[in-house]
Amino acid sequence: MSILFAATYPHRVTGLILGAATARWSPAPDYPCGHESDGMREAMERLARRRWGEGGTVDWFAPSLSGSARARQALARWERLAAGPSAVLRLLRMMCESDVQAVLPSVRAPALVIQRLGDRVIPRCHGHYLASHLPNARYVEQPGDHLLWMGDTDALLAEIDHFLGGAEHRPAADPAGPHPVPRAPRPARS
């Protein structure tokens, strides 16, 4: 969604930070990534249908912690608080149908693409693809699993801080001119 927003409203985006991101989920003739995604999608569908809320996502999102009962309990709670099983199934379907490949060349904002080396959900190919197809991207690999808030967060935040400090914090000029920001109508008073 953020990639599509950056392509559509370049005057409103000063930089794009993409962690564990994809241009699309599944493989295609013009997209070499995603061959591993079918197995993950099927596993997540099984989890959503049968064991959602028990912490089974730890095996995908943080496999280095899958032996930890505490991590499994924490992710079980996160699963229950984040979404119900039917919402997870809808989200998986939406992810499988999304494809922003065509808009990547039109993104003018600088981008930081962060890829975790042990990510079973979004393997390295996806991050490499994004970085090589976004005109102004920097690619960074870090050790760790899919969950960016776990592991060496100091190194992650240092990369983000470096990107924000080095990025130009002005949106690129839009050749079509400024776009008005839509406002919600005010409720009528009685």
Side-chain angles (χ1 to χ4, degrees), residues 101-112:
Q101 284 180 271
V103 302
L104 294 177
S106 64
V107 173
R108 290 184 265 158
L112 174 64

Side-chain angles (χ1 to χ4, degrees), residues 21 33-34 36-37 115-116 119-128:
C33 308
E36 306 92 343
S37 300
Q115 183 68 47
R116 288 285 178 95
D119 194 337
R120 291 185 66 199
V121 179
I122 309 293
R124 293 162 78 177
C125 182
H126 293 285
H128 279 288

Side-chain angles (χ1 to χ4, degrees), residues 75 82 180:
L75 279 172

Side-chain angles (χ1 to χ4, degrees), residues 37-59:
S37 300
D38 288 338
M40 185 276 185
R41 180 188 46 77
E42 291 166 4
M44 292 301 284
E45 285 176 355
R46 280 192 305 276
L47 278 171
R49 287 190 178 102
R50 298 185 189 118
R51 298 183 309 131
W52 193 253
E54 296 176 14
T57 56
V58 73
D59 299 325

Side-chain angles (χ1 to χ4, degrees), residues 14-80:
T14 58
L16 206 52
I17 299 172
L18 303 169
T22 67
R24 60 176 287 138
W25 188 258
S26 302
D30 61 342
Y31 192 72
C33 308
H35 297 288
E36 306 92 343
S37 300
D38 288 338
M40 185 276 185
R41 180 188 46 77
E42 291 166 4
M44 292 301 284
E45 285 176 355
R46 280 192 305 276
L47 278 171
R49 287 190 178 102
R50 298 185 189 118
R51 298 183 309 131
W52 193 253
E54 296 176 14
T57 56
V58 73
D59 299 325
W60 288 93
F61 294 151
S64 64
L65 299 174
S66 64
S68 165
R70 185 173 179 198
R72 192 168 294 275
Q73 288 171 344
L75 279 172
R77 184 172 190 271
W78 173 82
E79 289 169 13
R80 292 188 302 271

Side-chain angles (χ1 to χ4, degrees), residues 131-152:
S132 65
H133 287 79
L134 287 165
N136 193 11
R138 184 164 72 90
Y139 179 78
V140 174
E141 288 184 344
Q142 293 187 322
D145 298 327
H146 178 75
L147 297 178
L148 297 177
W149 65 86
M150 298 177 90
D152 188 358

